[in-house]
Amino acid sequence: VQLALGDYRNAERNLKLAVRNLEGNPTASLAWTEALSQLGNVYLRTGREREAEETQRHVVAARLTLLGPSHPEVATARQSLASLLINRG
């Protein structure tokens, strides 16, 4: 909600907390990748492209490990990373 409202400072704080809380919990692995992906979006929207790229690369790697290369969530993560890289030039 905070991300959608443009409250990036609070969105970043809450997403970092979610990532920390979910990290290493095998039953919450996909939720962790979603929180991490949203954190990457915060970085991108606040002009921190390098942090956004690094975060999205982690999301792709984690989803590949969890779901395999042909899963739609992996494709979504790859598309997000590709869009970021294309827009950076």
Side-chain angles (χ1 to χ4, degrees):
V1 173
Q2 294 160 330
L3 181 60
L5 295 174
D7 185 2
Y8 301 123
R9 186 178 57 144
N10 284 321
E12 180 178 351
R13 185 189 73 228
N14 290 329
L15 286 165
K16 283 181 175 180
L17 180 62
V19 167
R20 277 194 303 270
N21 288 337
L22 294 168
E23 192 170 26
N25 181 345
T27 61
S29 296
L30 289 177
W32 176 78
T33 67
E34 182 58 32
L36 196 60
S37 179
Q38 292 301 317
L39 182 58
N41 287 335
V42 169
Y43 292 150
L44 183 61
R45 291 180 184 190
T46 56
R48 296 181 284 171
E49 285 105 3
R50 287 182 191 233
E51 289 172 277
E53 178 184 342
E54 181 180 324
T55 302
Q56 288 306 120
R57 287 186 186 279
H58 285 300
V59 171
V60 170
R63 288 185 181 172
L64 272 169
T65 300
L66 292 167
L67 303 169
S70 60
H71 195 279
E73 290 295 323
V74 174
T76 299
R78 285 179 168 162
Q79 182 180 9
S80 294
L81 176 59
S83 294
L84 187 154
L85 294 172
I86 288 169
N87 288 329
R88 270 187 40 196

